[in-house]
Structure formats: structure tokens, C-alpha cells
Amino acid sequence: MTQAAAQVLRQLAKQLMQAGDFSNAEAQIRAAIALAPGAPILHLEHGQIFEQQNNINAATRAYYRAVMKARAKGLWLDDATVPAQVLPQVLHAMQFVETHRDGVLHALLEPLYAQFGKTELERVTGALNIYLGSDLTKPASPHQRPHFLYVPGLTETPFVDAKRFSWIDAALDARAAIAAEAHAVFANQRGVEPFLQAAPGNDLTVYIAGDQAKWEAHFFYRHGLANPENLAASPATANLLAKAPLVRIAEHAPEICFSALTPGSHILAHTGVTNLRLVAHLPLILPDRCALKVAGIERAWKLDEVLIFDDTFEHEAWNRSDQTRVILLMDAWHPDLTQAEQIAFAELIEGIGCFNRG
């Protein structure tokens, strides 16, 4: 019934578009999409309406969304997977995205240039150009391989001196109280879940190894969203996080949790998404024979030290003891970034995420 109603609205939108009533046509196709959001053809025709109105930004987003929706279903991968009757329109949409995507994403920076100036945001512009492929700059070290966004011009080192972060002393002062909260969490397994979520087709054995290996977490923030219940139940931890300058990027960061690695577990070598964000480890429950290796440099955690590292360098961790190791894992801005750059990167990444979702 819902699909049938969406088709009625689609046909009405087509008639309105042919009559030149683009505003009402767009309203009808939007209503159809609300009923059948996974239908690529609706998003394709949404893009056509925007294009007729010369709304380049909206048309690019709608066409991109149509392509992504189709490819998620195994469609529009090549000419053979596109129905012949819509092949010209699909090819046009793909070319339209290819032509206008860079401009749409660069437009995200224009208000920021007006606010801070282009010179202040040179690294932001450079990172976007690298992301778009117009700049081929890469990290100097072969160990450093960001999956998403590489920021040129930042100090590139596997481990970063904790003295560069003003909140480290407060973290160490609160360590004992936070460790007590971690003990309580893992004693009753309250709010404990796998750190890695097994999405369909996601083979977790490429991330962790060991007999009965487990990488567990108790999240205070995940994908940028706070967990009020977990924060309320661990006041010492919540107090530290309220004072620390967290990386805040909608639907991306911060990512903060008690991270537990069970005996015999080995987190296999991998790299992170972007070097603008560093990872901080405050040790809480620390048996012997546990270590972190970043770019071939092995460091054992110490209770009186916060380890901060750039996870875009290849890294791995292990627990070879007979007890569970627990740390407080936190996100931290790279200390080279100015406040203006932090604001700009947060808005840029939110904008890229919004575009990629269509």
C-alpha cells in the first residue's frame, strides 16, 4: 500500500514538473520519498526537479543519494545493472555529481573563510583537496594511512607528548576514582557491549584475535552522542569529561568509553580515519604483559601516564596476562590545530557526512 501511494505521488510529481510547477512537484516527490525512502528512482527524479530549478547544490545531493541507494541494492554498478529505460538519466546523474561534487563541498568552507580568513584555514582547504583527490599529498611515513581525511602540515609522530594537553593532570588526579567506577561497571557488566559492531559482511576476525578474545566497551559517548545513563552512573568520569575539551563532530565524535581487553586478546594492526583527532588512553585496570604498538614502537601502559597516539599510524594492542585490562579511551584534538581550525574541521566533516548520506 505504501509503495502504491508513493507511485501515485511520483506520477503526480511528473505531471506537475511537465507543467512547470516545480515547487509543487518537489513537494510531491518529497512526500513519495517519505513513504519509500529506499527507492533510488524517487531520488533520481528529485534531482531532476532540482536541476530544472537550477538548484545545483540540491540536485547534486539528490543525484548522489539516488546512486548510493541503488548501489546499496547492487544496482547501477554498470550499464548492465541499470534498467534500459532509465540508463540515460542515471548516466546523466552520475556525470552531474562528478561535475559538481567538488564545488558543493568547497562551498561548505565559504562561510568559514568569511569568519576566519583563508590563510587561517589553509590546512582545512588542503585536507579537503586531498579528500577530493585534487591534491595527492600523502603522509611522510608509510605507517600512516588515514582512511578518511588527511590533514597536511600537522606534526606527524606516532606518540604525542601528554604535556601538550592541559587536561592531563586532571585526568591523572581523577584516575583512582574513575578506576573504581570501571571496576563497578565490569563487575556487573552493566552497559557493556562489544566495541566493534558486527555489521552484515563485516568479518571481525580481521580486527581481533585470540582464543575467546573480547574487546568490550562501556560507552559514555558514541558517534558523537552522549549516553546520559552511563554518565550519570559514573560521576567522576563524567566530571572529567565535562572539563576536557572534547572533539565534537556531529555523528562522528567524541568516541569515549571504558575499553576492556580480555586475557589473551590481540587487537590486530589497523589504522584510523583522520590525523586531526588523536586517541588518549587513561589506564584504569592494568595487569602485566599488556602493551600498545604504534608504527613499530611498543609502549606499555603505566598507571601514572596518559598515552596519547595518532591512530592513523598502524597500531595494535594486546593483553597477554590472565586478567582483563581496562582503559578510559578518549578523543583529543591534535594540539597543532587552532580553535578556528577545530571549528572549521567539525563543520566540514559534518557537511561531508551530510552529503554522503544524501
Side-chain angles (χ1 to χ4, degrees), residues 156-160 278 294-295 297 308-311 313:
E156 296 179 356
T157 181
F159 290 96
V160 180
L278 304 178
V294 184
I297 303 171
I308 301 179
F309 66 100
D310 182 340
D311 76 340
F313 285 86

Side-chain angles (χ1 to χ4, degrees), residues 332-353:
W333 288 108
H334 194 294
D336 287 355
L337 293 173
T338 66
Q339 185 174 19
E341 288 174 319
Q342 292 175 12
I343 293 169
F345 273 121
E347 294 197 19
L348 175 62
I349 292 171
E350 290 170 15
I352 291 173

Side-chain angles (χ1 to χ4, degrees), residues 124-346:
V124 182
T125 305
L128 178 56
N129 287 334
I130 293 168
Y131 172 76
L132 294 172
S134 58
D135 184 334
L136 301 181
T137 301
K138 295 181 179 180
S141 170
H143 294 289
Q144 189 176 16
R145 300 186 300 276
H147 289 303
F148 165 53
L149 193 67
Y150 171 60
V151 182
L154 299 180
T155 302
E156 296 179 356
T157 181
F159 290 96
V160 180
D161 188 349
K163 293 178 181 178
R164 298 194 65 188
F165 300 86
S166 61
W167 50 271
I168 293 299
D169 287 344
L172 291 173
D173 289 344
R175 195 205 67 78
I178 294 173
E181 292 173 347
H183 274 286
V185 164
F186 289 98
N188 61 25
Q189 291 290 292
R190 176 181 56 81
V192 174
E193 59 185 286
F195 186 93
L196 299 172
Q197 299 298 319
N202 187 8
D203 181 7
L204 298 186
T205 61
V206 302
Y207 296 102
I208 187 165
D211 293 339
Q212 299 182 329
K214 287 184 181 179
W215 184 7
E216 298 179 319
H218 176 80
F219 283 98
F220 298 101
Y221 289 84
R222 187 159 216 194
H223 309 312
L225 297 176
N227 185 313
E229 181 180 352
N230 289 353
L231 286 165
S234 297
T237 305
N239 183 58
L240 171 66
L241 300 181
K243 295 177 179 178
L246 305 178
V247 179
R248 294 192 182 277
I249 302 174
E251 300 188 4
H252 292 82
E255 195 95 343
I256 300 175
C257 65
F258 290 150
S259 173
L261 199 60
T262 59
S265 297
H266 183 177
I267 300 172
L268 302 175
H270 63 287
T271 59
V273 295
T274 177
N275 61 328
L276 65 82
R277 189 262 295 130
L278 304 178
V279 179
H281 286 181
L282 174 66
L284 301 174
I285 302 172
L286 188 57
D288 294 332
R289 303 176 66 203
C290 295
L292 172 71
K293 182 188 284 187
V294 184
I297 303 171
E298 184 176 324
R299 296 274 295 272
W301 291 277
K302 300 177 182 178
L303 290 179
D304 61 352
E305 178 183 33
V306 177
L307 272 184
I308 301 179
F309 66 100
D310 182 340
D311 76 340
T312 63
F313 285 86
E314 186 174 73
H315 60 285
E316 58 187 304
W318 56 82
N319 177 359
R320 295 171 180 160
S321 77
D322 58 359
Q323 301 175 54
T324 296
R325 181 234 65 183
V326 181
I327 60 168
L328 176 62
L329 182 152
M330 298 173 282
D331 289 335
W333 288 108
H334 194 294
D336 287 355
L337 293 173
T338 66
Q339 185 174 19
E341 288 174 319
Q342 292 175 12
I343 293 169
F345 273 121

